[in-house]
Amino acid sequence: DVKVTQSSRYLVKRTGEKVFLECVQDMDHENMFWYRQDPGLGLRLIYFSYDVKMKEKGDIPEGYSVSREKKERFSLILESASTNQTSMYLCASSFGQGFGYGYTFGSGTRLTVV
Amino acid sequence: GDSVTQMEGPVTLSEEAFLTINCTYTATGYPSLFWYVQYPGEGLQLLLKATKADDKGSNKGFEATYRKETTSFHLEKGSVQVSDSAVYFCALVFSGGYNKLIFGAGTRLAVHP
């Protein structure tokens, strides 16, 4: 069964900490994405990557960075965690370019910053 | 820019009721359209999709038809079950460049016995 695996389901961090959220996919997908999900706001794209070492800003990149050193792994980094980054974080991957291809999502990481 | 608008929830239904969740979109060109479902505590799963006008996507008793003339992709199910309680997201693929999905805000469905 194909999978996108996020390393943690729940995470509690302190304000100012550097936080790493890890995502691994086993489908050899080119594209990977990080979203955050907040009540009433739906899903908002933070960053995405369409190739190893490539990254593009999404709609809300401020306060975040990403790393993609290998095709299967896409990491989201909170440089200095703040309470307004408390959220559900979802990783996804997809195949190729163009239309018609859906995403495969991980189960999410619920991050609480205290 | 491209966008997706869904009806606000929550939608509350009794078991075996008919379900409609409205979705309309604004996009340049002709995107592919998707419905995703998120069960409590889980990530999103692809429910169904349609890649061109008049296509009907279907899965698990759910259906949606790609209506170009009304720019809509409404989700329907004839008889809902308690197990259908979830959040439903309508989405479209970015019309140019790389494969980037644009989501609606999501609609929560609660089905009671």
Side-chain angles (χ1 to χ4, degrees):
Chain A
D1 197 15
V2 295
K3 275 189 176 177
V4 174
T5 302
Q6 295 184 229
S7 54
S8 305
R9 289 298 298 269
Y10 300 94
L11 213 52
V12 180
K13 296 292 182 180
R14 295 194 179 279
T15 301
E17 277 193 75
K18 190 169 186 176
V19 181
F20 293 86
L21 302 183
E22 305 289 344
C23 176
V24 177
Q25 51 97 1
D26 64 1
M27 296 163 284
D28 202 34
H29 282 174
E30 289 84 354
N31 310 312
M32 297 188 74
F33 307 82
W34 275 106
Y35 285 87
R36 64 177 283 177
Q37 182 181 15
D38 300 288
L41 298 176
L43 276 74
R44 293 180 291 169
L45 182 63
I46 304 171
Y47 267 96
F48 64 103
S49 168
Y50 49 86
D51 200 355
V52 177
K53 296 190 185 295
M54 303 300 289
K55 59 185 180 184
E56 293 285 341
K57 293 180 179 179
D59 301 318
I60 52 163
E62 296 78 20
Y64 303 94
S65 63
V66 291
S67 172
R68 193 164 181 204
E69 297 296 318
K70 295 184 178 181
K71 190 176 186 180
E72 67 270 18
R73 185 180 297 270
F74 192 38
S75 302
L76 179 69
I77 303 158
L78 285 66
E79 297 291 343
S80 178
S82 64
T83 55
N84 63 13
Q85 293 179 310
T86 291
S87 185
M88 169 72 90
Y89 290 88
L90 293 168
C91 176
S93 70
S94 73
F95 170 74
Q97 298 178 22
F99 303 136
Y101 300 110
Y103 288 9
T104 302
F105 278 86
S107 298
T109 296
R110 186 166 294 281
L111 172 67
T112 302
V113 182
V114 297
Chain B
D2 300 341
S3 65
V4 175
T5 303
Q6 289 182 235
M7 63 186 291
E8 287 191 28
V11 174
T12 304
L13 295 173
S14 298
E15 207 165 23
E16 299 184 2
F18 184 86
L19 168 71
T20 300
I21 301 178
N22 291 336
C23 171
T24 58
Y25 67 91
T26 302
T28 54
Y30 302 104
S32 288
L33 301 172
F34 302 83
W35 277 101
Y36 282 81
V37 58
Q38 185 180 33
Y39 297 105
E42 298 184 12
L44 276 69
Q45 302 174 24
L46 179 63
L47 181 60
L48 54 84
K49 68 178 184 181
T51 58
K52 62 183 188 295
D54 299 325
D55 267 3
K56 177 185 283 187
S58 61
N59 186 24
K60 299 181 181 179
F62 291 89
E63 293 183 340
T65 300
Y66 187 163
R67 301 287 188 199
K68 186 178 69 173
E69 62 277 9
T70 55
T71 62
S72 65
F73 193 54
H74 304 321
L75 183 68
E76 296 181 336
K77 187 175 185 183
S79 176
V80 293
Q81 306 300 311
V82 172
S83 58
D84 293 327
S85 298
V87 181
Y88 292 82
F89 292 92
C90 185
L92 63 81
V93 171
F94 191 65
S95 59
Y98 293 94
N99 185 316
K100 186 173 74 168
L101 273 174
I102 296 171
F103 288 90
T107 302
R108 182 175 299 278
L109 170 66
V111 181
H112 299 290

